């Protein structure tokens, strides 16, 4: 055998034991008369020792000739370490080696395999298999495995059945762009990779599997962000014979279980907030409620003076930033510059310092009386020592910009603590949203989402007012899950397709299989999907998902390690009945 123990398990109780270890060379220290090698595997590091008194010269020379990241097998006796290292679990012992074998030599790696490395992100992604040897990456992948195992154990214990659904499916026009796969056997026809297993899990409910889940790969051909990849993993779930409260209770239970088992955090009942309330109070449908800074609308107390910026605005709204009245003029000017950045897009910012002595100092003192500023403080909940930041303009964009400012201030003030968790259900989303570019309504969630009970008729008279029987689970300002109660009868689904601009023929061509299934006793059903990558990152105290994925893509959607995507040869193109367009050159 290659090893009797791992490099992380030996301690003083093993002294006098003969062991065999295998791993990679972390570090070599050669003092001439003695050589130490730190041998590393997934489990830890053990120090190997070779010295002139107890080791043959050939063995000493063999140790000296080893290099960083060589794969070694070492056999010897566990002895007490003269200079102990209390920072290492194995720091009280070392192995006096009597036999050493090089299992595989290594070139010098392009960056140091240490917790703090000298390798840039692109270089480490190119050599991702080396990056995985580093503790920060390795531990994140192990952490992800723990979370996935807890999900499986919990849902299985609640009677859910894990079912695999197909990866080669039919392309549909709703949602993000599909990745398409040409069919060799069917000239001119294509599969699509699933953006989610949505219709299949609904068909499983028709099939009588009333509690389904799957940890499943999904694909979307869309622009990249730090928390988005072209392929991602969902915890996909569906239940039959349920209403909204049943779904929320079931998956609040799963989330509580994960917080307790993974993070040691006990949580009570999750608060619930309507979509309209979230937008009004926080300017976002995924608010971070770990801190305050709720919006205060100021139209009634700010549009009565001769200040045209406010008077011409649809909305005047502000937040009270705790303790920020101490900001210098330079710091406030930098904040104004921040909101003017193209990524935010505000024209400027009005501020009010709420001084500790109860007085006020603002950037619009020549237009407003102290009594006006006091009214603004009441509306925003500002206390002495706070800074009121105010934006104005069209309601939707202004709320979005103030939400971005709120999150930025929370970041600067250290209010977004990675070890604090504040879950929240956001419910009652609009069923439809109007797209100016196409001039028609689109499903805010997806076409199979049911309207709230009693609101179907509103589709004919006021589509924008219809609320969806949909819900999102938000954790620390991130949407970690979303779902809905589904439409489960053919007639309602046909009405929904019509309002989304489908002709009967188009609806039949795209989703006829589902509407047919609804004719054979489809039960009421609903579900939810969690983004596993994002959930794992948040539980792990991070915002970016990339290090929790074994082989991620870069910001351009490329795998720089295997160089994908890449061209395919002419013979494959011919087999797939495809032709490349001539380049512009």
């Amino acid at each position: 055998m290659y090893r009797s123990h791992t490099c992380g398990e030996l301690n003083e109780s093993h002294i006098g034991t003969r062991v065999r270890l295998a791993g990679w060379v972390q570090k070599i220290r050669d003092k001439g008369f003695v050589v130490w090698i730190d041998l590393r595997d997934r489990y830890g590091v053990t120090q190997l020792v070779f010295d002139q008194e107890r080791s043959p010269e050939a063995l000493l020379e063999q140790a000296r000739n080893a290099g960083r990241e060589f794969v070694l097998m070492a056999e010897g006796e566990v002895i007490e370490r003269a200079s102990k290292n209390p920072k290492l679990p194995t720091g009280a012992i070392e192995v006096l080696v009597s036999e050493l074998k090089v299992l595989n030599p290594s070139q010098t790696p392009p960056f140091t395999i240490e917790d703090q490395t000298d390798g840039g992100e692109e270089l480490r992604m190119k050599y991702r298999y080396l990056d995985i040897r580093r503790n920060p990456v390795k531990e994140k992948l192990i952490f992800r495995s723990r979370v996935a195992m807890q999900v499986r154990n919990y849902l299985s214990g609640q009677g859910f059945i894990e079912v695999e659904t197909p990866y080669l499916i039919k392309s549909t026009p709703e949602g993000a762009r599909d990745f398409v796969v040409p069919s060799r056997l069917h000239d001119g026809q294509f599969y699509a990779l699933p953006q989610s297993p949505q219709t299949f899990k609904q068909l499983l409910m028709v099939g009588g599997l009333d509690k389904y889940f799957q940890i499943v790969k999904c694909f979307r051909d869309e622009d990249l962000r730090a928390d988005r990849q072209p392929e991602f993993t969902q915890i996909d779930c569906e239940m039959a014979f349920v209403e909204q409260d049943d779904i929320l209770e079931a998956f609040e239970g799963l989330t509580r279980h994960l917080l307790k088992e993974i993070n040691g955090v006990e949580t009570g009942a999750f608060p619930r907030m309507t979509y309209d309330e979230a937008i009004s109070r926080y300017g976002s449908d995924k608010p971070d409620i770990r801190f305050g800074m709720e919006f205060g609308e100021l139209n009634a107390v700010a549009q009565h003076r001769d200040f045209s910026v406010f008077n011409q605005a649809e909305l005047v709204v502000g937040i009270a930033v705790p303790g920020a009245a101490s900001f210098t003029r330079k710091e406030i000017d930098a904040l104004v510059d921040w909101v003017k950045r193209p990524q935010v897009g505000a024209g400027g910012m009005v501020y009010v310092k709420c001084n500790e002595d109860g007085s006020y100092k603002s950037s619009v003192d020549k237009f407003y009386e102290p009594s006006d500023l006091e009214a603004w403080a009441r509306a925003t909940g500002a206390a002495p020592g706070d800074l009121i930041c105010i934006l104005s303009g069209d309601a939707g964009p202004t709320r979005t910009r103030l939400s971005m400012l709120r999150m930025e201030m929370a970041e600067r003030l250290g209010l977004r603590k990675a070890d604090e968790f504040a879950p929240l259900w956001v419910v009652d989303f609009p069923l439809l949203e109007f797209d100016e570019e196409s001039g028609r309504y689109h499903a805010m969630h997806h076409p199979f989402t049911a309207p709230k009970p009693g609101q179907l008729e509103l589709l004919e008279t006021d589509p924008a007012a219809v609320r969806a029987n949909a819900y999102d689970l938000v954790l620390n300002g991130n949407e970690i899950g979303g779902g809905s109660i589904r439409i489960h009868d053919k007639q309602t689904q046909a009405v929904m397709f019509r309002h989304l601009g489908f002709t009967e023929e188009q609806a039949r061509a795209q989703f006829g299989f589902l509407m047919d299934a609804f004719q054979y006793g489809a039960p009421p059903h609903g579900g939810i999907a969690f983004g596993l990558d994002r959930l794992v990152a948040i539980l792990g105290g991070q915002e970016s998902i990339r290090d929790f994925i074994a082989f991620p893509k870069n910001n351009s959607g490329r795998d720089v390690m295997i160089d994908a995507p890449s061209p395919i040869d002419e013979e494959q193109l011919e087999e797939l009945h495809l032709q490349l367009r001539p380049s512009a050159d």
Side-chain angles (χ1 to χ4, degrees):
M1 60 183 176
Y2 284 109
R3 56 186 180 184
S4 60
H5 297 77
T6 70
C7 294
E9 68 177 296
L10 298 177
N11 55 48
E12 288 171 299
S13 69
H14 296 94
I15 289 173
T17 305
R18 189 163 186 82
V19 298
R20 182 178 291 174
L21 303 178
W24 290 265
V25 174
Q26 176 79 26
K27 192 180 296 182
I28 300 176
R29 298 180 300 285
D30 184 356
K31 295 294 185 182
F33 61 91
V34 61
V35 176
W36 292 281
I37 293 179
D38 287 347
L39 195 67
R40 180 195 70 242
D41 64 9
R42 169 188 147 187
Y43 306 93
V45 175
T46 294
Q47 180 169 285
L48 310 180
V49 62
F50 309 77
D51 66 40
Q52 287 180 338
E53 290 185 10
R54 296 173 290 183
S55 305
E57 184 60 34
L59 188 60
L60 263 173
E61 194 61 26
Q62 196 180 4
R64 290 190 180 106
N65 289 333
R68 281 171 48 203
E69 300 307 313
F70 273 42
V71 186
L72 303 181
M73 182 176 69
E75 189 170 339
E77 182 184 346
V78 180
I79 63 174
E80 187 174 4
R81 191 161 160 175
S83 180
K84 294 181 172 60
N85 183 351
K87 295 179 181 179
L88 280 180
T90 60
I93 59 90
E94 58 190 0
V95 175
L96 178 62
V97 177
S98 57
E99 182 181 341
L100 184 68
K101 184 176 181 181
V102 176
L103 299 177
N104 217 336
S106 172
Q107 296 183 30
T108 302
F111 54 88
T112 55
I113 313 297
E114 301 276 359
D115 291 2
Q116 299 297 321
T117 183
D118 55 0
E121 185 174 13
E122 196 75 2
L123 180 66
R124 289 186 289 111
M125 288 186 72
K126 183 176 181 179
Y127 297 94
R128 181 65 168 179
Y129 45 87
L130 297 179
D131 203 27
I132 290 172
R133 294 181 189 174
R134 296 193 312 114
N135 285 326
V137 180
K138 175 195 72 179
E139 287 165 4
K140 285 181 173 66
L141 297 181
I142 294 171
F143 183 83
R144 180 190 178 105
S145 175
R146 283 182 57 213
V147 174
M149 190 60 67
Q150 287 292 340
V151 168
R152 280 196 165 92
N153 290 344
Y154 181 86
L155 291 177
S156 297
Q158 296 294 314
F160 284 78
I161 306 298
E162 186 167 13
V163 181
E164 294 182 10
T165 53
Y167 279 147
L168 295 175
I169 66 167
K170 185 175 189 175
S171 182
T172 59
E174 288 292 319
R177 293 184 185 90
D178 289 327
F179 282 102
V180 295
V181 181
S183 170
R184 179 180 61 84
L185 297 176
H186 303 280
D187 188 359
Q189 296 186 324
F190 297 82
Y191 299 104
L193 299 179
Q195 295 183 34
S196 85
Q198 181 60 44
T199 53
F200 290 100
K201 65 180 179 178
Q202 290 190 247
L203 292 172
L204 288 171
M205 297 304 102
V206 178
L209 296 180
D210 64 340
K211 286 185 172 183
Y212 142 92
F213 86 98
Q214 181 181 189
I215 297 180
V216 59
K217 213 50 136 174
C218 301
F219 308 85
R220 290 179 187 169
D221 188 4
E222 57 186 359
D223 295 337
L224 280 296
R225 296 198 306 247
D227 61 346
R228 184 177 289 171
Q229 290 268 303
E231 52 182 316
F232 57 97
T233 306
Q234 283 187 182
I235 307 166
D236 197 61
C237 310
E238 198 80 2
M239 301 171 71
F241 303 110
V242 290
E243 296 178 334
Q244 179 176 292
D245 282 351
D246 300 309
I247 301 283
L248 268 55
E249 182 180 341
F251 294 100
E252 188 168 314
L254 169 62
T255 311
R256 269 212 207 95
H257 174 80
L258 293 175
L259 286 169
K260 181 180 178 182
E261 294 301 319
I262 301 297
N263 299 91
V265 172
E266 297 270 7
T267 54
F270 295 0
R272 298 183 187 182
M273 186 181 298
T274 66
Y275 170 87
D276 290 340
E277 186 183 358
I279 296 297
S280 174
R281 290 171 60 184
Y282 300 101
S284 170
D285 60 2
K286 46 180 181 293
D288 191 335
I289 59 171
R290 286 175 293 180
F291 53 91
M293 288 193 274
E294 290 190 24
F295 288 13
E297 296 193 9
L298 304 174
N299 291 46
V301 291
Q303 292 183 321
H304 62 295
R305 302 287 184 185
D306 189 23
F307 186 53
S308 60
V309 174
F310 283 177
N311 293 341
Q312 294 169 9
E314 182 184 3
L315 177 68
V316 184
V317 63
I319 55 172
V321 182
S326 61
F327 276 25
T328 64
R329 178 60 185 269
K330 184 178 179 180
E331 288 175 310
I332 293 175
D333 286 346
L335 209 52
V336 174
D337 290 340
W338 188 90
V339 302
K340 287 181 176 180
R341 297 184 315 151
Q343 301 96 314
V344 182
M349 184 188 84
V350 170
Y351 69 87
V352 181
K353 285 188 172 187
C354 303
N355 297 319
E356 296 286 358
D357 62 4
S359 64
Y360 300 93
K361 176 64 180 172
S362 83
S363 55
V364 289
D365 279 347
K366 68 179 181 178
F367 296 101
Y368 290 95
E369 301 292 332
S371 58
D372 296 320
L373 306 182
E374 185 179 1
W376 298 1
R378 286 197 300 272
T380 57
D386 292 353
L387 177 72
I388 306 173
C389 299
I390 303 166
L391 301 182
S392 62
D394 293 342
T398 299
R399 284 196 175 96
T400 299
R401 290 163 185 154
L402 190 61
S403 175
M404 294 169 73
L405 177 60
R406 175 179 180 266
M407 296 295 279
E408 176 67 17
M409 295 311 299
E411 198 70 49
R412 293 187 186 192
L413 296 173
L415 302 177
R416 303 190 69 201
K417 297 180 174 63
D419 58 351
E420 289 183 7
F421 298 94
L424 168 73
W425 287 109
V426 178
V427 299
D428 296 355
F429 283 78
L431 182 68
L432 307 174
E433 53 186 347
F434 190 76
D435 180 60
E436 299 286 349
E437 190 173 321
S438 64
R440 65 183 181 91
Y441 282 100
H442 292 266
M444 194 167 191
H445 194 60
H446 55 57
F448 317 109
T449 298
K452 295 286 285 186
Q455 294 201 358
L456 182 63
E457 294 74 16
L458 270 177
L459 279 173
E460 303 294 342
T461 57
D462 191 2
V466 181
R467 286 302 180 255
N469 207 341
Y471 33 82
D472 278 357
L473 182 55
V474 177
L475 184 61
N476 296 358
N478 294 272
E479 176 204 333
I480 60 166
S484 66
I485 298 299
R486 322 302 186 189
I487 296 168
H488 67 278
D489 66 277
K490 182 177 180 179
Q491 292 73 27
T492 304
Q493 190 66 72
V495 170
M496 185 66 174
F497 283 144
R498 177 165 56 83
H499 282 280
L500 292 172
F502 288 82
T503 65
E504 282 190 36
E505 293 76 17
Q506 288 171 331
R508 182 74 205 168
Q510 293 289 341
F511 303 109
F513 65 92
L514 184 65
M515 298 177 80
D516 286 346
F518 286 170
Q519 298 178 107
Y520 292 94
H525 60 280
I528 193 169
F530 289 78
L532 179 65
D533 309 299
R534 190 177 302 171
L535 173 62
V536 169
I538 295 168
L539 294 178
Q542 305 289 318
E543 289 286 331
S544 173
I545 65 175
R546 190 174 292 162
D547 274 350
F548 293 89
I549 299 171
F551 299 102
K553 307 291 187 291
N554 69 7
N555 287 338
S556 301
R558 293 196 64 83
D559 186 324
V560 296
M561 182 183 68
I562 63 172
D563 192 25
S566 62
I568 60 175
D569 61 38
E570 290 290 337
E571 185 178 341
Q572 284 178 290
L573 287 172
E574 288 174 12
E575 283 186 335
L576 296 169
H577 320 289
L578 296 176
Q579 282 186 327
L580 291 180
R581 287 183 297 181
S583 67
D585 298 337

